[in-house]
Amino acid sequence: MKALVYDGVEKLGFREVPDARPKAGEHLVRVEAVGICGSDMHAYLGHDARRPAPLILGHEAAGAVIGGARDGARVTINPLVTCGSCRACASGRENICPDRQIISMPPREGAFAQFVAVPDRNLVEVPGDVPLAKAALAEPLAVSWHAARLALEASHPDTDKRALVIGGGAIGLAAALALSAMGVRDVTVVEPNDIRRTFLADRCRQNAVAEAEGQFPIVIDAVGYSATRAAASALVQPGGVIAHVGLGEDAGGLDIRKMTLQEITFIGTYTYTAEDFRETAQAIFDGRLGPLDWFEQRSLAYGADAFRDLRAGRVAAPKIVLTPWM
């Protein structure tokens, strides 16, 4: 099969690789669409030791099952593979399973390929009227669905339901869409990149601004740099909630004194539970997350160019979805 392989810092090669081989309890999926995630970019830049070269990246995927009892089923892939038996898994918090794996991280190759092997329980069937390119958005949307759910659950019942999202990439936009789907009608997205901010406003109908003013009861940091944590600390109101999704930098930025004196709740959020993923997929199928027409499709064969364009800030769309068969 052909795959886009991460060969080293800012080096990607599209070439023949050994075929994906499903193990017991797994299915072979023909990948029809796979999105580029921020974590793929971190690996590409050499910032993720968990993803050493050479490696097939990519975990935001949808396709069709090849062979077996589910042959032909159109599916979106939950890439988080967990043990299913530990305390975290038994309590429905699979995302903190101590033995969790994710496709695109050893020992599992990713979905920037024509085929990928995935456990049966990680596949969610997609209705025939839903394009697989949209179904591939389930993974990044689920990340933000999880963060929005936790933020709302941590909010005081009397809190004004307004929210600020820092970062207008796919995770930030998805957070705004999830908050809206959950009943938060006043959502502001901060995005400093001019072309992306214009895209968010014109194409995605978001209240997108270059800088935020005032304070907000809910702040979601979808970037995760020291500067964005500092902004979140400054912009959250007393008694409010900061949900932290981004993994840009490991340290710095939080105003711990303010968080203590003003009883601000800080929540680190990682991926999603299996139920979050299923709920997100259903929200896509039901249309509750909008038309989801804000991604750009390109061929996997030219995936290296897509990474370079993202690196240079030349992409207005919040998400690039690659197609292995173009």
Side-chain angles (χ1 to χ4, degrees):
M1 67 178 186
K2 290 184 182 273
L4 184 69
V5 183
Y6 167 59
D7 287 318
V9 178
E10 299 193 40
K11 293 180 181 178
L12 293 166
F14 184 69
R15 61 176 180 268
E16 287 286 339
V17 299
D19 291 343
R21 296 186 181 278
K23 299 177 182 177
E26 297 184 347
H27 292 285
L28 184 67
V29 176
R30 173 186 159 112
V31 178
E32 298 293 342
V34 54
I36 299 177
C37 177
S39 63
D40 296 319
M41 181 58 68
H42 291 158
Y44 171 74
L45 297 175
H47 297 165
D48 190 348
R50 302 171 303 167
R51 290 178 165 94
L55 181 68
I56 302 173
L57 301 171
H59 58 271
E60 303 176 354
V65 175
I66 303 296
R70 299 178 71 174
D71 182 52
R74 304 171 77 248
V75 295
T76 186
I77 296 171
N78 176 347
L80 194 65
V81 181
T82 58
C83 75
S85 58
C86 68
R87 180 174 295 183
C89 289
S91 64
R93 302 183 72 191
E94 300 90 347
N95 58 318
I96 56 172
C97 169
D99 295 319
R100 66 183 181 265
Q101 299 175 352
I102 191 166
I103 66 172
S104 79
M105 191 181 298
R108 293 185 174 272
E109 296 281 8
F112 284 157
Q114 293 176 320
F115 299 94
V116 66
V118 185
D120 178 77
R121 67 177 181 273
N122 287 65
L123 302 178
V124 176
E125 293 207 23
V126 177
D129 62 340
V130 177
L132 288 172
K134 287 188 179 181
L137 299 176
E139 198 281 338
L141 287 165
V143 170
S144 297
W145 184 278
H146 178 69
R149 177 178 66 80
L150 292 182
L152 287 169
E153 288 176 354
S155 298
H156 191 278
D158 294 333
T159 297
D160 182 23
K161 293 300 184 284
R162 295 182 300 112
L164 176 72
V165 177
I166 300 175
I171 298 300
L173 173 57
L177 296 174
L179 287 163
S180 296
M182 295 175 186
V184 180
R185 298 304 174 196
D186 186 352
V187 181
T188 300
V189 180
V190 177
E191 173 52 58
N193 183 293
D194 291 340
I195 62 170
R196 180 162 285 178
R197 187 172 64 254
T198 300
F199 188 97
L200 289 168
D202 296 347
R203 181 73 172 269
C204 307
R205 299 182 181 178
Q206 295 298 312
N207 177 25
V209 299
E211 295 183 12
E213 297 180 354
Q215 291 191 314
F216 299 80
I218 296 172
V219 178
I220 294 183
D221 182 352
V223 182
Y225 280 91
S226 174
T228 58
R229 284 189 290 270
S233 296
L235 292 164
V236 66
Q237 73 181 32
V241 176
I242 298 173
H244 191 271
V245 188
L247 290 170
E249 289 179 335
D250 292 343
L254 279 182
D255 185 341
I256 299 299
R257 181 176 179 83
K258 177 180 177 179
M259 292 179 66
T260 302
L261 296 178
Q262 297 187 359
E263 291 199 347
I264 293 163
T265 300
F266 178 89
I267 306 171
T269 73
Y270 176 71
T271 62
Y272 33 75
T273 67
E275 181 62 22
D276 285 324
F277 191 92
R278 289 189 292 267
E279 287 183 357
T280 303
Q282 192 59 53
I284 293 173
F285 307 155
D286 294 345
R288 282 178 284 149
L289 293 170
L292 302 179
D293 58 355
W294 35 261
F295 59 90
E296 177 185 332
Q297 278 193 275
R298 300 192 188 185
S299 170
L300 182 66
Y302 300 101
D305 293 336
F307 271 81
R308 283 191 287 268
D309 287 345
L310 287 166
R311 175 82 167 96
R314 293 190 291 261
V315 180
K319 176 66 62 180
I320 291 179
V321 174
L322 302 175
T323 301
W325 306 96
M326 286 176 65

